[in-house]
């Protein structure tokens, strides 16, 4: 089994941090993992992308070409990366409030990621962890408890409770979105 994920958005949305946490959780479960990132020269607002490959076998090529899952946190990210999805089984996860024109994909999971972060946790800052919860649920690759542990180990200690709450908000929202299909 090998799965490729691409998390994309704009600088400041935390997609790189979310990918690192997901990769750490997968590694803690004994999987082979490759994680990479790319972002524009702007600290905030520029393009941002992070990729994770999770495999039970050796990863010979650590570059994602046809992701199984794409997270798009902005319209620009959706427009740029949705076309790379596996045409038959690829899953596109979008922030429904920030991606009004969802590109065609074989499977689409639409969750108001940033809105949920603001309404349920109190800050848009937690949108990346809400998205991580959605990815955890949709991918089924890494147990939720492993992702919780990775979040706890990665975020500042005084934010652990809010981040775990954000993770669960995203997980449950994705579960509801998948159930509606």
């Amino acid at each position: 089994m090998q799965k490729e994920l691409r998390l994309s958005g704009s600088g400041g949305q935390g997609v790189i941090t979310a990918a690192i946490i997901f990769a750490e959780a997968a590694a803690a479960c004994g999987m082979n993992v490759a994680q990479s990132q790319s972002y524009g020269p702007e600290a905030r607002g520029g393009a941002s992308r992070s990729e994770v490959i999770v495999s039970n076998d050796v990863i010979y090529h650590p570059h994602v070409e046809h992701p199984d899952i794409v997270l798009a946190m902005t319209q620009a990210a959706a427009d740029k990366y949705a076309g790379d999805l596996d045409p038959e089984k690829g899953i596109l996860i979008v922030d429904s409030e920030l991606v009004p024109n969802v590109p065609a994909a074989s499977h689409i999971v639409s969750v108001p990621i940033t809105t949920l972060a603001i309404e349920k946790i109190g800050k848009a800052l937690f949108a990346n962890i809400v998205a991580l919860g959605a990815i955890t649920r949709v991918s089924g690759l890494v147990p939720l408890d492993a992702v919780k542990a990775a979040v706890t180990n990665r975020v500042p200690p005084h934010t652990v409770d809010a981040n775990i709450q954000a993770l669960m908000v995203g997980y449950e929202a994705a579960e509801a979105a998948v159930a509606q299909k």
Side-chain angles (χ1 to χ4, degrees), residues 6-29:
R6 179 174 292 144
L7 288 68
S8 58
S10 64
Q13 286 184 306
V15 295
I16 292 172
T17 300
I20 290 169
I21 293 170
F22 191 83
E24 289 174 348
C29 291

Side-chain angles (χ1 to χ4, degrees), residues 34-57:
Q35 190 274 322
S36 62
Q37 55 214 21
S38 171
Y39 45 89
E42 307 88 353
R44 300 245 181 237
S48 179
R49 175 186 84 213
S50 190
E51 299 174 336
V52 181
I53 300 172
V54 177
S55 180
N56 291 331
D57 298 316

Side-chain angles (χ1 to χ4, degrees), residues 94-100 110-116:
V94 297
D95 186 326
S96 60
E97 302 291 322
L98 300 179
V99 183
S110 186
V111 176
I113 294 167
T114 304
T115 298
L116 286 171

Side-chain angles (χ1 to χ4, degrees), residues 14-161:
V15 295
I16 292 172
T17 300
I20 290 169
I21 293 170
F22 191 83
E24 289 174 348
C29 291
M31 297 177 197
N32 293 318
V33 179
Q35 190 274 322
S36 62
Q37 55 214 21
S38 171
Y39 45 89
E42 307 88 353
R44 300 245 181 237
S48 179
R49 175 186 84 213
S50 190
E51 299 174 336
V52 181
I53 300 172
V54 177
S55 180
N56 291 331
D57 298 316
V58 175
I59 299 170
Y60 291 105
H61 184 66
H63 179 70
V64 171
E65 292 179 3
H66 298 289
D68 299 285
I69 297 174
V70 169
L71 166 72
M73 296 283 289
T74 64
Q75 185 68 56
D79 294 342
K80 186 170 185 176
Y81 298 118
D84 293 341
L85 273 166
D86 181 300
E88 294 177 17
K89 60 183 180 194
I91 301 169
L92 176 61
I93 303 171
V94 297
D95 186 326
S96 60
E97 302 291 322
L98 300 179
V99 183
N101 302 311
V102 180
S106 57
H107 303 285
I108 298 168
V109 177
S110 186
V111 176
I113 294 167
T114 304
T115 298
L116 286 171
I118 294 167
E119 290 177 356
K120 303 286 185 180
I121 317 302
K123 293 183 182 178
L125 175 73
F126 294 100
N128 65 328
I129 305 300
V130 173
L132 179 61
I135 292 165
T136 300
R137 168 57 183 91
V138 169
S139 73
L141 294 170
V142 181
L144 180 59
D145 286 342
V147 179
K148 284 180 180 179
V151 167
T152 300
N153 291 332
R154 174 61 61 175
V155 302
H158 69 280
T159 68
V160 169
D161 290 343

